[in-house]
Amino acid sequence: QNIQYFKSEITKNHLNSIFIKSDSAIQCCVISGNDLVKQIAVKLQEHGFDVNPILSPTVPISEERLRFCLHSFNSEGDISKVLQLLTTFVNI
């Protein structure tokens, strides 16, 4: 249920272009550049969200990303809030 809600919120917040399509509990948002993806991860963490940056060389250069791991204890409010915050930190 949370996966489907997360995906609907991606669309609602016009973030489809930066998310990798996935039907799993792990959702990834591509944000190019180690420094930028780390900065955005820290901002989300400061708001209480455990979102992790995946940096190159773990992934190819320019394919750095944020990893969102969805759990059954995540509320719809939490999901909505983290994606709304993300929209304020990325320039699409």
Side-chain angles (χ1 to χ4, degrees), residues 28-52:
C28 291
C29 169
V30 176
I31 299 174
S32 183
N34 280 347
D35 290 338
L36 181 58
V37 75
K38 285 192 286 188
Q39 290 170 6
I40 293 173
V42 167
K43 289 178 183 180
L44 292 171
Q45 291 163 1
E46 288 171 348
H47 284 87
F49 295 104
D50 187 17
V51 177
N52 297 305

Side-chain angles (χ1 to χ4, degrees), residues 13-14 17-19 25 34 37-38 41-42 45 48 52-53 55 60 64 68-71 75-76 80 86 90-92:
N13 287 283
H14 309 287
S17 65
I18 60 173
F19 270 87
N34 280 347
V37 75
K38 285 192 286 188
V42 167
Q45 291 163 1
N52 297 305
L55 310 173
E64 298 82 8
F68 297 80
C69 296
L70 301 173
H71 302 279
S75 70
E76 288 185 355
S80 295
L86 181 62
V90 296
N91 224 353
I92 300 173

Side-chain angles (χ1 to χ4, degrees), residues 7 13-15 23-24 27-28 31 41-43 46 49 56 61 63 75 79 82 85 89:
K7 290 172 64 173
N13 287 283
H14 309 287
L15 296 168
D23 291 323
S24 80
Q27 300 285 319
C28 291
I31 299 174
V42 167
K43 289 178 183 180
E46 288 171 348
F49 295 104
S56 68
I61 292 173
E63 293 183 31
S75 70
I79 292 169
V82 73
L85 282 169
F89 303 141

